[in-house]
Amino acid sequence: MSWIDKLKVKWNLGSTLQVVIVLIVFALTGTTILFIKKPILAFVHPGEPDVWFYIIYFILIWPAYNLFLLIYAFIFGQFSFFWNFEKRTFRRIRNLFVRK
């Protein structure tokens, strides 16, 4: 079984093309964040990175990543896959902080 077939099964996708589109969405999102991260953080926190730099990074950039992920997913027709992906991610994060 090839790695694309493994991803197709893991992500419950119907075709190899859909796997490729999902990978393209992830790649475009990461590239976009790389381009916008530096100017945004330089505006909000000029100077050398310190603890506050990384706190601001996670407060601003992580939500921006998730937003761009959904925007690109919508453009490429994979919104439902990524919406479910986001819900699973937030559920896992919530479970880290909330005791059952």
Side-chain angles (χ1 to χ4, degrees):
M1 184 179 263
S2 72
W3 62 274
I4 289 190
D5 292 329
K6 289 177 185 177
L7 287 176
K8 192 183 338 180
V9 170
K10 179 180 178 178
W11 289 339
N12 195 26
L13 297 173
S15 69
T16 301
L17 177 62
Q18 197 174 4
V19 174
V20 170
I21 292 171
V22 166
L23 293 173
I24 289 170
V25 168
F26 277 123
L28 288 172
T29 303
T31 303
T32 301
I33 293 301
L34 280 175
F35 282 117
I36 69 167
K37 176 180 77 168
K38 194 171 186 177
I40 289 174
L41 291 175
F43 177 75
V44 176
H45 186 277
E48 294 299 314
D50 57 4
V51 172
W52 289 108
F53 174 86
Y54 293 105
I55 292 171
I56 293 168
Y57 173 82
F58 284 111
I59 289 172
L60 293 177
I61 300 302
W62 189 64
Y65 177 88
N66 290 300
L67 179 65
F68 278 105
L69 191 67
L70 292 175
I71 290 169
Y72 284 125
F74 178 77
I75 291 169
F76 283 90
Q78 297 299 315
F79 186 82
S80 63
F81 170 81
F82 281 98
W83 183 246
N84 291 327
F85 180 85
E86 290 287 323
K87 289 189 290 188
R88 280 192 314 271
T89 302
F90 284 111
R91 199 174 308 122
R92 288 177 185 151
I93 291 170
R94 184 194 69 209
N95 290 340
L96 288 173
F97 296 104
V98 177
R99 299 224 183 249
K100 293 181 180 180

